Amino acid sequence: AELSTIASDGDRVTAVASLAAGPTVLCTERGRIKLYDARAADLKTTLTGHSNTVTKVRFSHTRLVSASIDGTAKLWDHTLAASSPAHTGAVTAALALRQEAQTDDAQLLTADATGDILVWRSLSSPSAPSSSSSSSPSAHGFVVSATIPAAHEAAVTDMANVSAAMGAAFVSVGLDKRAVLWNAATRAKTAWFMADQPLTCVAANKEALVIAGWHGYAAVLNPKTLARTTVLSSSCASTVVGLQVGERLQRAQIV
């Protein structure tokens, strides 16, 4: 049953995210990020740092990461510094690694329409170069430490933290219909799954990984092997733009 409806002032909604016990985030086509009270559907605040459409938002603990067509990703309240190599076009996905998955060289991930994934490190980390030796802007606190080139054959649309057999890991999904499992420490590809439709969203809990995409497609995968266990029945007939999974799979929400 529908609990509430959140209006977006006539703008197209491009991304949705929520916390289990916190705000719901609604992103609109004009680059605004609106934070609503999930229960009352009341607008709490509007974030206006992006100059173009926001393509993806994701919570990591209480931090919010956003990606945009304007070529930037933002960890609120810190903007990722542009560096070389860096994204030359739209940033289509962003993820803050879990604390146990972070290293001196990797705290954040961003991805783009070419299929590349960039790994970012904080300038406050021990291995980060000093501002005098770094060729990239340092005012915002992050620089690129590594690149996973051609991680997908088309745009990367979402990423999520998971716990896999080798420890901390993350999964990326894309319009190439692939879900790919990566070792967070080495960035090595450990497994992949080919879906029936281009993929737009991924979410995980301790028990399962859920992927979703075009034409309402949604499926449950084993988070350690990416073997498909269930195809979900969804009332969505169009592209899925938001996915939230509770502690138990029965609480999966598809938007």
Side-chain angles (χ1 to χ4, degrees):
E2 182 177 303
L3 299 179
S4 62
T5 299
I6 298 175
S8 60
D9 300 330
D11 284 352
R12 178 187 173 198
V13 177
T14 57
V16 178
S18 65
L19 282 170
T24 292
V25 175
L26 177 73
C27 295
T28 64
E29 193 169 26
R30 286 185 281 182
R32 296 178 297 177
I33 300 175
K34 298 183 177 182
L35 278 71
Y36 286 84
D37 181 295
R39 298 180 184 276
D42 293 332
L43 179 64
K44 295 301 183 182
T45 188
T46 300
L47 307 176
T48 57
H50 287 292
S51 62
N52 208 328
T53 301
V54 175
T55 55
K56 190 69 63 174
V57 285
R58 183 172 289 279
F59 280 107
S60 178
H61 302 291
T62 58
R63 295 181 298 175
L64 179 68
V65 183
S66 60
S68 172
I69 286 177
D70 64 12
T72 67
K74 295 181 183 293
L75 174 65
W76 297 89
D77 295 319
H78 301 283
T79 304
L80 300 183
S83 64
S84 180
H87 300 292
T88 57
V91 180
T92 54
L95 177 69
L97 291 171
R98 284 178 180 162
Q99 193 67 36
E100 62 269 24
Q102 294 185 13
T103 66
D104 290 344
D105 288 330
Q107 291 91 38
L108 296 153
L109 305 171
T110 59
D112 59 31
T114 69
D116 292 345
I117 296 175
L118 300 190
V119 182
W120 298 78
R121 68 182 173 207
S122 169
L123 285 173
S124 62
S125 65
S127 63
S130 65
S131 58
S132 60
S133 62
S134 174
S135 61
S136 62
S138 60
H140 301 305
F142 289 89
V143 292
V144 172
S145 60
T147 302
I148 307 176
H152 285 263
E153 296 177 359
V156 180
T157 51
D158 202 4
M159 295 180 286
N161 290 295
V162 297
S163 295
M166 68 283 191
F170 68 93
V171 169
S172 60
V173 298
L175 295 184
D176 58 359
K177 303 182 182 180
R178 293 175 184 264
V180 182
L181 180 65
W182 304 89
N183 183 305
T186 65
R187 273 86 74 181
K189 184 189 299 184
T190 61
W192 62 276
F193 171 79
M194 179 67 75
D196 298 332
Q197 297 288 341
L199 298 173
T200 55
C201 299
V202 59
N205 60 20
K206 295 180 180 179
E207 302 173 352
L209 179 77
V210 181
I211 57 174
W214 290 12
H215 306 298
Y217 173 85
V220 182
L221 308 182
N222 182 311
K224 296 181 179 181
T225 64
L226 296 194
R228 184 167 60 189
T229 60
T230 310
V231 176
L232 295 179
S233 176
S234 169
S235 60
C236 298
S238 56
T239 299
V240 178
V241 298
L243 186 62
Q244 184 76 20
V245 178
E247 293 182 3
R248 294 186 178 276
L249 186 57
Q250 289 88 337
R251 294 173 56 189
Q253 300 174 358
I254 299 174
V255 180

